[in-house]
Amino acid sequence: MSVKDSLFGEIVTINSHIESDAKDVSAELIKDQNKTVVFEDLNGGKAAGNIFSTREKIAKALNIPRENIVNHLLDAINSPKEYEIVEKPAFRQCSMDIDLMKLPIPKYFPEDGGRYITSGVIVADYKGKRNVSFHRMMIMDSKHIAVRLVPRHLFTIFNMAKEKGEELNISICIGAQAEVLLAAATSTDFGADELEVASSMSIKGHGHPLRVGKCDNGINVPANTDYVLEGRITLEETKEGPFVDITGTYDFERQQPVIEIDWIWTCKDPMFHLLLPGGYEHFMLMGLPREPMILKTVRQAVPRVKNVRLTEGGCCWLNGVVSIKKNKEGDGVNAIMAAFTGHPSMKNVIIVDDDIDIFNDREVEWAVATRMQADRIIKIPGAAGSSLDPSSHGKTTWKVGYDATIPVDADRSLYEKARL
């Protein structure tokens, strides 16, 4: 399933020519982020954004109900499946001259360091350690990219190669299917294969394993990707940034490694996936894959957990809601502490009973308003939080948990809404 096959819901088409450095791309994407926007001529190529900007669109792409997304992801993480290697993958149908400046890659905001690939998933395979992960990539010139490497798995693999004086072969995938994007944003054990996590989701949702094809550099990547850029993370460094992160505020400039591109593959009539920084789609693809980890850790503390949600108002990163069915008093507090363990970047979490629809902000706020008093607020000072939270200034943070569950020994009729 390529980008073109993932255009669900209402679609807005922009037919006019748009230059890569114009403000028009972000302006069109921001107008209504629930709608998918297709650009017929962005710097001479086709592109689309807001593709996976809602849970409903993601569920449609996965072929599952919206409420099952978190369990679908967690099951795949716990039970990865082998993928299927195909001889003629769609991404190898065409090749093109190596000139990144001619691709439909925009500059999203005025103070950005340059034009950015935002939906790019990097696949690396080095001495038996494979990794598939998201990284923002700033275009430097026709064949060089500055890549932001957060100190996680790809950073570790790159440094393994760097210690031996070697460059790291990679393939950059743009326009991959939803299963691949979600798997690339999950937290797996070092050395686990995220493509097998994606394959598990594909089998459960579509009845067949993920199909992959081999690049000339020997790396396996999703077969139905629109663009595949083969290259190397070199031993050179350059300035990367500033750039807008998930909170909608600017991240600062850093010294980061340089990628050199060796080959560009595409499917026929490719469509470039645009991911608006700090937008709804950014929330979904970065934040939603953290929810299975919260579900897992809360289940270890409280057996009956109905669902987990990182809220859009908290950028799907800083604020969360968990619905549980209590066995005993104190389960709400235990759920708070476990939720913070599952997602250490989370700053605020609300625990509600299982009769509350956690995807309805009004119901969650109603639970806080009618089922708790301030003495049931848990405050944790001096905790390590998210570097993306501007209010923490990169230092420690206060974490706050709200136990908005009905006391076990209470008369529940006093807390429940009247029904017809």
Side-chain angles (χ1 to χ4, degrees), residues 92-162:
R92 291 187 70 120
Q93 290 175 329
C94 308
S95 63
M96 58 189 302
D97 294 337
I98 303 173
D99 191 347
L100 300 171
M101 305 304 289
K102 292 182 178 179
L103 296 181
I105 304 171
K107 182 177 181 179
Y108 288 95
F109 289 99
E111 302 302 318
D112 288 351
R115 294 163 58 186
Y116 267 87
I117 298 172
T118 50
S119 67
V121 170
I122 295 180
V123 185
D125 194 340
Y126 182 76
K127 297 190 182 303
K129 296 292 186 182
R130 178 175 293 135
N131 179 249
V132 185
S133 51
F134 273 100
H135 299 272
R136 71 189 195 213
M137 290 172 266
M138 187 182 79
I139 306 305
M140 296 169 60
D141 54 38
S142 62
K143 62 186 302 183
H144 294 94
I145 298 171
V147 59
R148 168 74 171 117
L149 291 188
V150 178
R152 290 197 287 263
H153 293 176
L154 182 60
F155 176 90
T156 303
I157 293 173
F158 170 60
N159 279 294
M160 288 168 59
K162 187 176 179 181

Side-chain angles (χ1 to χ4, degrees), residues 12-270:
V12 176
T13 302
I14 310 299
N15 291 304
S16 57
H17 174 76
I18 295 177
E19 294 290 338
S20 292
D21 291 333
K23 297 184 296 183
D24 305 53
V25 170
S26 293
E28 292 293 346
L29 293 173
I30 288 171
K31 280 181 182 178
D32 186 345
Q33 294 187 56
N34 292 314
K35 297 178 181 177
T36 301
V37 182
V38 174
F39 299 89
E40 290 290 343
D41 185 1
L42 172 57
N43 197 39
K46 289 184 178 180
N50 296 343
I51 298 171
F52 302 115
S53 58
T54 67
R55 290 174 190 269
E56 288 74 15
K57 290 181 184 178
I58 291 174
K60 184 77 173 175
L62 298 175
N63 198 31
I64 61 170
R66 180 193 69 172
E67 293 74 17
N68 290 0
I69 294 174
V70 178
N71 278 298
H72 188 67
L73 262 168
L74 185 57
D75 289 347
I77 293 167
N78 291 334
S79 300
K81 304 295 183 185
E82 289 186 9
Y83 43 77
E84 176 188 350
I85 298 177
V86 297
E87 293 298 322
K88 296 181 179 179
F91 74 81
R92 291 187 70 120
Q93 290 175 329
C94 308
S95 63
M96 58 189 302
D97 294 337
I98 303 173
D99 191 347
L100 300 171
M101 305 304 289
K102 292 182 178 179
L103 296 181
I105 304 171
K107 182 177 181 179
Y108 288 95
F109 289 99
E111 302 302 318
D112 288 351
R115 294 163 58 186
Y116 267 87
I117 298 172
T118 50
S119 67
V121 170
I122 295 180
V123 185
D125 194 340
Y126 182 76
K127 297 190 182 303
K129 296 292 186 182
R130 178 175 293 135
N131 179 249
V132 185
S133 51
F134 273 100
H135 299 272
R136 71 189 195 213
M137 290 172 266
M138 187 182 79
I139 306 305
M140 296 169 60
D141 54 38
S142 62
K143 62 186 302 183
H144 294 94
I145 298 171
V147 59
R148 168 74 171 117
L149 291 188
V150 178
R152 290 197 287 263
H153 293 176
L154 182 60
F155 176 90
T156 303
I157 293 173
F158 170 60
N159 279 294
M160 288 168 59
K162 187 176 179 181
E163 287 169 4
K164 296 182 178 294
E166 299 173 1
E167 298 178 329
L168 179 66
N169 287 334
I170 60 165
S171 290
I172 302 168
C173 301
I174 303 153
Q177 63 196 73
E179 287 85 356
V180 173
L181 299 178
L182 292 171
T186 57
S187 293
T188 58
D189 293 338
F190 183 54
D193 190 344
E194 289 85 358
L195 293 183
E196 292 185 348
V197 174
S199 187
S200 182
M201 283 188 273
S202 181
I203 290 170
K204 194 169 183 179
H206 302 288
H208 62 78
L210 178 73
R211 297 179 176 114
V212 306
K214 193 176 291 293
C215 295
D216 282 357
N217 60 12
I219 294 175
N220 288 322
V221 302
N224 293 323
T225 306
D226 282 54
Y227 287 85
V228 174
L229 284 56
E230 292 190 34
R232 295 159 283 116
I233 304 180
T234 71
L235 304 182
E236 297 179 37
E237 290 190 349
T238 190
K239 290 180 180 179
E240 183 274 327
F243 188 67
V244 174
D245 220 310
I246 197 168
T247 55
T249 55
Y250 278 101
D251 193 15
F252 53 84
E253 190 177 82
R254 296 177 176 85
Q255 285 292 118
Q256 293 290 285
V258 174
I259 295 173
E260 184 169 344
I261 300 302
D262 298 317
W263 201 262
I264 298 178
W265 300 99
T266 78
C267 64
K268 291 179 180 178
D269 193 27

Side-chain angles (χ1 to χ4, degrees), residues 187 290-302 308 310 317-318 322 332-349 351 380 383-385 399-401:
S187 293
R290 296 300 313 176
E291 294 174 351
M293 298 299 101
I294 301 172
L295 178 63
K296 184 176 182 178
T297 55
V298 177
R299 273 182 178 167
Q300 291 169 350
V302 182
V308 170
L310 288 168
W317 198 250
L318 300 175
V322 180
V333 174
N334 286 349
I336 287 169
M337 296 187 293
F340 285 134
T341 302
H343 181 42
S345 290
M346 188 161 56
K347 184 178 177 182
N348 304 292
V349 66
I351 310 299
I380 306 170
K399 297 193 176 191
V400 181

